[in-house]
């Protein structure tokens, strides 16, 4: 494959980078963190007005109809700036499966998203291994009754709808569009400013129009879980890129014994280790989203490799970045702490390194 971005993707990358350089500058992030708001509404609106939210939405929703590679480009830039906006939740966890499987009425939810007027999210995780679905949906008249618990759901209270996967009696896994007010939402601890919630579904009844695409054959769930992983590893790729740039600049300008830190061989070797971890993740991310865009069968395996790299080597690389900064790496007035928190949170969302290795092993065993 060609790892170079095409002209459209390069323009998208440049647009997102330029916008976030202004909207997610250090002073703006500090002001946002003092506000207590769930996300930066001004940046979210600017993102929408620039066409970045609509880029991966279908044309009938006011979007450009671009795919997984372009979504990765956008989310990677958001990670590189630790931009406090619900782009991952709204696009990767919700808009992608709705656009692919939704009815005309369900796809109508995407137009307000394209203009930045609403937020959407998806419940990718439950207690246990990532990708497992224990929540159930039993038929009740022309609708269903949902039971189960979802964890670490981003922006659950702020979303217009939460996409909830559940096992349907006599069928497969379906994805249901649930209004937040119908569920019991409890805040969970978050490593970042992003609000995470436990969403309990205790006999929540939804109508026939809530089942995504009207079919519980597992296809919508497959799209949601693959998009969830693809979006998360793209975020992580941006996070380690931003942390590495910060660390390189610091070691070039910080002096000890009248020499820049970057002139010490031990420091150079550690920065090189961070670069290797970053490049390994980058290769897996671009390969994974490219194969996902092609509808290839090996996309899930490539994304599993990317997820492992995001959970283990990249998190270790972030520790190295902190170590090279010394005490200032933990100072909340210095931006490195945001990258560390984001990287750790992505690793938790993906289930951790051991879980990712188990998933990869299971995929390889299926091919044997």
């Amino acid at each position: 494959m060609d790892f170079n971005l095409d002209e459209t993707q390069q323009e998208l990358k440049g647009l997102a980078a330029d916008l976030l350089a202004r909207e997610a500058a250090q002073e703006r992030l500090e002001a946002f963190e003092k506000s207590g708001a769930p996300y930066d509404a001004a940046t979210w609106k600017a993102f929408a007005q620039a066409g970045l939210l609509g880029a991966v939405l279908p044309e009938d929703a006011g979007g450009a109809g671009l795919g997984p590679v372009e979504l990765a480009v956008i989310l990677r830039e958001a990670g590189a700036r630790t931009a406090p906006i619900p782009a991952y939740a709204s696009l990767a966890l919700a808009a992608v499966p709705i656009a692919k499987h939704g009815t005309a009425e369900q796809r109508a939810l995407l137009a307000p998203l394209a203009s930045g007027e609403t937020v959407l999210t998806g419940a990718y995780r439950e207690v246990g291994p990532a990708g497992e679905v224990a929540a159930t949906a039993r038929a009740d008249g022309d609708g269903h009754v949902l039971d189960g618990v979802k964890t670490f759901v981003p922006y659950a209270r702020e979303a217009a709808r939460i996409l909830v996967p559940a096992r349907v009696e006599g069928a497969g896994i379906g994805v249901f569009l649930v209004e937040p007010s119908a569920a019991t939402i409890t805040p969970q601890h978050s490593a970042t400013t992003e609000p995470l919630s436990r969403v309990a579904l205790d006999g929540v009844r939804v109508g026939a129009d809530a089942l995504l695409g009207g079919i519980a054959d597992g296809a919508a769930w497959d799209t949601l879980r693959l998009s969830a992983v693809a979006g998360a590893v793209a975020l992580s790729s941006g996070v380690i890129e931003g942390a590495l740039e910060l660390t390189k600049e610091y070691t070039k300008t910080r002096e000890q014994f009248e020499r820049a830190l970057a002139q010490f061989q031990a420091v150079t070797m550690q920065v090189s280790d961070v670069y290797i971890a970053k490049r390994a993740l980058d290769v897996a991310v671009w390969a994974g989203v490219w194969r996902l865009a092609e509808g290839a069968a090996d996309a899930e395996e490539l994304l599993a490799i990317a997820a492992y790299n995001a959970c283990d080597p990249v998190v270790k690389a972030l520790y190295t970045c902190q170590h090279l900064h010394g005490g200032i790496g933990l100072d909340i007035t210095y931006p490195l702490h945001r990258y560390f928190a984001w990287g750790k949170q992505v690793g938790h969302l993906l289930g951790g390194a051991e879980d990712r290795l188990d998933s990869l092993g299971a995929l390889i065993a299926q091919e044997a």
Side-chain angles (χ1 to χ4, degrees):
M1 68 169 289
D2 183 358
F3 283 90
N4 294 314
L5 300 178
D6 64 26
E7 185 177 353
T8 298
Q9 293 158 357
Q10 286 283 8
E11 290 178 356
L12 199 62
K13 174 182 169 66
L15 177 61
D18 290 346
L19 185 147
L20 291 174
R22 300 188 305 271
E23 298 291 333
Q26 172 74 358
E27 60 274 11
R28 285 284 300 272
L29 292 177
E30 290 176 354
F32 163 75
E33 288 166 352
K34 294 175 182 177
S35 72
Y39 62 92
D40 189 329
T43 302
W44 185 239
K45 197 68 176 178
F47 224 64
Q49 291 172 345
L52 290 166
L53 292 181
V56 296
L57 300 182
E59 294 180 5
D60 60 8
L66 301 177
V69 176
E70 290 78 16
L71 177 58
V73 168
I74 293 170
L75 292 179
R76 194 174 186 277
E77 291 305 313
R81 289 286 180 174
T82 59
I85 54 175
Y88 170 69
S90 293
L91 298 177
L93 296 183
V96 169
I98 291 174
K100 186 172 182 179
H101 301 282
T103 63
E105 290 76 14
Q106 291 165 343
R107 286 159 66 95
L109 291 168
L110 300 178
L113 173 60
S115 60
E117 298 172 8
T118 191
V119 172
L120 299 170
T121 192
Y124 167 61
R125 288 300 310 272
E126 292 187 2
V127 175
E132 293 293 322
V133 177
T136 61
R138 58 181 174 82
D140 182 55
D142 62 349
H144 290 84
V145 174
L146 307 180
D147 288 284
V149 175
K150 302 294 182 177
T151 58
F152 304 121
V153 182
Y155 302 99
R157 291 186 186 278
E158 293 74 24
R161 296 289 190 283
I162 304 171
L163 270 65
V164 175
R167 295 186 177 277
V168 180
E169 289 180 333
I173 297 176
V175 175
F176 296 85
L177 279 69
V178 177
E179 295 187 10
S181 59
T184 302
I185 298 175
T186 308
Q188 290 184 298
H189 292 296
S190 171
T192 70
T193 57
E194 180 179 72
L196 297 177
S197 297
R198 176 183 187 270
V199 177
L201 306 155
D202 187 11
V204 173
R205 191 186 187 286
V206 294
D209 59 348
L211 178 59
L212 189 60
I215 303 173
D217 60 357
W221 166 233
D222 286 342
T223 297
L224 193 159
R225 64 185 181 83
L226 290 176
S227 180
V229 174
V233 295
L235 274 178
S236 183
S237 176
V239 165
I240 192 60
E241 173 85 19
L244 177 58
E245 289 302 313
L246 203 61
T247 304
K248 284 163 54 180
E249 186 62 28
Y250 181 80
T251 56
K252 286 191 295 186
T253 56
R254 174 69 173 175
E255 292 187 357
Q256 284 188 356
F257 307 110
E258 299 182 351
R259 294 174 62 189
L261 289 176
Q263 293 179 353
F264 291 92
Q265 186 179 30
V267 171
T268 302
M269 291 173 66
Q270 290 180 79
V271 172
S272 298
D273 288 340
V274 175
Y275 176 78
I276 290 169
K278 182 192 86 72
R279 288 296 295 151
L281 176 59
D282 287 345
V283 169
V285 168
W286 294 125
V289 296
W290 170 60
R291 297 298 282 167
L292 188 60
E294 296 292 315
D298 62 352
E300 185 168 4
E301 183 176 325
L302 290 166
L303 290 173
I305 294 170
Y308 168 74
N309 277 274
C311 292
D312 191 82
V314 162
V315 171
K316 290 176 179 175
L318 288 166
Y319 275 104
T320 300
C321 290
Q322 278 200 332
H323 170 71
L324 291 172
H325 276 83
I328 197 173
L330 299 173
D331 191 333
I332 61 172
T333 64
Y334 186 75
L336 184 64
H337 76 280
R338 297 190 188 94
Y339 292 106
F340 186 82
W342 274 52
K344 291 283 284 186
Q345 183 148 307
V346 169
H348 290 313
L349 177 67
L350 289 169
E354 290 187 6
D355 182 87
R356 292 294 89 192
L357 285 176
D358 287 343
S359 298
L360 182 58
L363 290 170
I364 293 173
Q366 289 176 8
E367 300 173 359

